[in-house]
Amino acid sequence: MDLRPVGRQFFIRTYGCQMNGHDSELMESILLSYGFQPAKSEDTANIIILNTCSVREQAERKAIGRLQRLARRKKSEEDFYFGVTGCMAQNLGLELFHCVPDIDFVIAPRRIHAIGEVLRRLKNGERQIYFPNESVETSENNDVLYRRKVIKASAFVTIANGCNMNCAYCIVPKTRGREICRPMESILHEVQFLVEKGVREVTLGGQIVNFYGVRKIPFKNGKSPFVQLLEKVHSIDGVDRIRFLSPHPSGFRDDLIDCYSNLPKLCPHVHFPIQSGSDRILRAMRRPYTRQMALKILHKLRRNIPLMAISTDLIVGFPGETEEDFRQTEQLFSEVDFDMAFIFKYSLRTGTQAAVMDNQIPEIVSEERNQILLKKLAVTSYRRNRLFIDSRQPVLVEAPSTKDPAVLWGYTPHHKKVFFHGPRKLIGQIADIKISKATTCALSGTLADELV
Ligand code: 5AD
Ligand code: SF4
């Protein structure tokens, strides 16, 4: 039986970071406005989009495997289209048409606004459409943001896209291009629009948010343009919570640290990507800060804000990382007591500076270092999570659990995921939860009061 009645059912599979997650939501809104419908699953879809990530080789390899399976499916199904958006579309570009000859479209991150138009053209018989970032055939259109159709209690708002840094391991400057900041007014309009639709929490997002606007907007009373933006978002009625993702340790100055004390809506959690605890490796990575500078910021945050939650990104096995360098990272790990950490084994990315460095580290060594940090993380995250047992937490309820629909989940201000039994009407609301249990990755509790 054919479950795809009208040939307009799409399915988007998202890999990688929150920026990609947001781009997928944007594409979904655009496709809905073109009259396409979301499919219940990949199997029942006749349009499949892989919104890809290039940060690590493994993610690219997995996506190519999936594309090759989709190519086989295309041979046996009429009216079936599939393609790639996101970082791989820019990183591999035309090469993708060689690896997967039947692919219908390849659209780079800066051009995803064209997705509706691309599908319309494919449906009209055009074949193999390619939009790299440099393409002039279509332009970015921020208006589309206001036409968002997918609205949840917590929304990601892009404030900048692209990156001007030069981290030796990273492919993002190549895939997303140079940084473009959205005008402040446009961001504030979008936040206003979102709260009118019922959004309670906004996450201001970009590759490096704390460098927002530094080349165009002057500092005011010692406050950076990003801090000025935070203050303006804070003053919008209806915004209950503010987060941002990700800051860079350089440029995380006192004006930003003070925001955690001065702006009550700013959640007491920071994602602070340190990458390494060794100054020698940080230098080789071209990260312009030292271990001491990073620690000073984190100590201040923990001193000023009760139970300040800190998460990080760390790379193990960067070229030339010695036992001593790794020991420094281990030490830093113990010293900071991270709530959460994303630990990555260094992945060689062609075209980056690190790809041609001597002393590439064998996989077996990176894996061993990875396991050591993961073990440490299990201990620290459990200890940090236990600090919340017996407390009452305001939980912004996101959705029912996939395992048990009677159980709901949401996040506390410290970005702890909480599971509890409760009625579905709480989705999108802030519920008061008494925490009774902690694991390494989540908390659970009972409903104390329905709404905060
Ligand atoms: N190998 C491993 N991890 C990487 N990251 C970026 N590039 C690489 C790479 N080549 C990690 C960094 C960054 C996160 C998003 O991905 O830790 O903060
Ligand atoms: Fe990549 Fe560095 Fe830019 Fe982050 S700051 S996106 S790690 S180049």
Side-chain angles (χ1 to χ4, degrees):
M1 189 177 67
D2 190 357
L3 296 172
R4 291 164 286 107
V6 283
R8 298 179 76 83
Q9 315 273 312
F10 68 88
F11 186 88
I12 307 176
R13 185 174 287 280
T14 310
Y15 298 83
C17 66
Q18 290 227 21
M19 296 290 282
N20 257 16
H22 175 61
D23 285 349
S24 290
E25 283 183 8
L26 216 65
M27 287 195 283
E28 184 172 353
S29 292
I30 295 168
L31 291 175
L32 290 172
S33 67
Y34 270 75
F36 294 98
Q37 300 297 325
K40 291 220 162 55
S41 72
E42 197 169 313
D43 292 340
T44 60
N46 29 35
I47 299 161
I48 295 178
I49 301 168
L50 300 193
N51 191 15
T52 56
C53 171
S54 292
V55 165
R56 279 165 292 278
E57 191 193 0
Q58 209 194 358
E60 280 198 351
R61 228 184 294 130
K62 264 196 207 153
I64 290 193
R66 196 172 276 275
L67 285 169
Q68 284 163 340
R69 285 197 294 281
L70 292 175
R72 288 197 285 281
R73 193 170 148 189
K74 188 175 173 72
K75 287 198 196 314
S76 62
E77 281 183 39
E78 253 179 67
D79 196 26
F80 179 77
Y81 303 90
F82 74 106
V84 172
T85 58
C87 286
M88 244 172 89
Q90 180 68 16
N91 190 33
L92 301 182
L94 288 170
E95 219 180 301
L96 279 166
F97 291 99
H98 296 295
C99 303
V100 192
D102 288 317
I103 198 165
D104 292 301
F105 56 93
V106 173
I107 309 175
R110 287 243 152 106
R111 294 289 160 238
I112 53 151
H113 303 80
I115 186 71
E117 193 48 31
V118 165
L119 285 174
R120 196 188 58 72
R121 279 164 52 178
L122 287 167
K123 291 248 169 208
N124 284 340
E126 252 183 79
R127 292 211 56 227
Q128 300 212 304
I129 299 179
Y130 175 44
F131 278 175
N133 277 343
E134 303 75 32
S135 152
V136 289
E137 288 185 53
T138 180
S139 63
E140 253 166 336
N141 176 7
N142 280 330
D143 283 355
V144 85
L145 296 168
Y146 310 127
R147 287 192 261 121
R148 261 199 218 194
K149 292 207 162 38
V150 195
I151 306 266
K152 298 188 192 121
S154 173
F156 190 84
V157 174
T158 306
I159 65 166
N161 195 358
C163 182
N164 294 350
M165 297 303 275
N166 199 16
C167 300
Y169 49 80
C170 186
I171 196 80
V172 169
K174 176 179 168 195
T175 59
R176 292 215 167 230
R178 291 194 62 78
E179 182 188 80
I180 297 179
C181 294
R182 277 178 71 192
M184 212 182 271
E185 281 313 306
S186 157
I187 298 166
L188 297 172
H189 273 131
E190 189 186 358
V191 174
Q192 185 67 51
F193 164 87
L194 289 169
V195 295
E196 281 163 17
K197 298 270 176 202
V199 166
R200 316 268 313 248
E201 173 181 283
V202 291
T203 300
L204 305 178
Q207 261 72 38
I208 309 182
V209 286
N210 50 330
F211 290 172
Y212 170 80
V214 285
R215 279 165 301 141
K216 285 211 177 121
I217 305 169
F219 279 59
K220 235 191 234 163
N221 306 324
K223 291 176 184 169
S224 69
F226 179 60
V227 168
Q228 295 169 40
L229 175 67
L230 279 177
E231 288 179 345
K232 289 202 167 131
V233 173
H234 193 269
S235 68
I236 295 178
D237 280 343
V239 174
D240 288 308
R241 294 180 174 187
I242 305 170
R243 303 181 187 277
F244 55 80
L245 204 68
S246 295
H248 196 288
S250 332
F252 205 111
R253 287 187 239 286
D254 285 349
D255 58 332
L256 184 51
I257 294 175
D258 291 344
C259 286
Y260 286 95
S261 311
N262 300 338
L263 304 176
K265 297 175 182 177
L266 183 61
C267 290
H269 164 239
V270 68
H271 183 69
F272 191 87
I274 293 192
Q275 313 298 359
S276 171
S278 150
D279 283 343
R280 213 179 63 80
I281 293 296
L282 287 172
R283 224 174 302 122
M285 288 176 164
R286 312 223 191 289
R287 302 278 294 179
Y289 54 89
T290 60
R291 161 203 181 90
Q292 214 39 47
M293 283 155 76
L295 283 173
K296 206 168 144 198
I297 296 164
L298 296 181
H299 286 320
K300 264 192 199 165
L301 285 167
R302 280 262 166 86
R303 209 176 322 119
N304 292 359
I305 316 295
L307 291 176
M308 181 75 189
I310 301 173
S311 56
T312 196
D313 291 343
L314 284 164
I315 298 177
V316 293
F318 184 80
E321 185 186 67
T322 60
E323 281 299 323
E324 173 54 25
D325 291 319
F326 177 64
R327 212 178 51 78
Q328 301 260 328
T329 298
E330 265 190 285
Q331 259 182 9
L332 174 128
F333 205 90
S334 307
E335 188 172 338
V336 178
D337 220 9
F338 290 109
D339 291 79
M340 177 59 192
F342 299 91
I343 301 154
F344 303 112
K345 284 186 281 180
Y346 166 75
S347 168
L348 185 148
R349 308 287 42 224
T350 306
T352 61
Q353 297 169 49
V356 290
M357 285 180 179
D358 293 336
N359 293 324
Q360 298 285 330
I361 303 295
E363 161 68 22
I364 187 167
V365 175
S366 304
E367 179 54 31
E368 194 188 345
R369 292 175 183 172
N370 186 31
Q371 289 305 327
I372 292 172
L373 291 189
L374 285 174
K375 277 206 190 101
K376 270 184 180 288
L377 175 65
V379 176
T380 60
S381 57
Y382 181 54
R383 185 171 56 231
R384 298 285 307 168
N385 285 349
R386 284 181 59 82
L387 297 175
F388 291 88
I389 291 182
D390 289 337
S391 71
R392 282 167 75 152
Q393 293 294 321
V395 172
L396 179 56
V397 185
E398 299 228 357
S401 136
T402 38
K403 281 197 198 128
D404 178 355
V407 172
L408 303 175
W409 63 266
Y411 282 101
T412 68
H414 295 83
H415 208 247
K416 304 285 177 190
K417 194 169 189 178
V418 178
F419 293 93
F420 66 99
H421 276 91
R424 281 196 173 216
K425 66 172 189 210
L426 290 182
I427 293 171
Q429 308 289 331
I430 297 178
D432 181 12
I433 306 294
K434 174 99 189 290
I435 305 299
S436 51
K437 237 178 95 187
T439 65
T440 54
C441 45
L443 307 173
S444 50
T446 48
L447 202 51
D449 237 325
E450 284 207 344
L451 299 183
V452 176

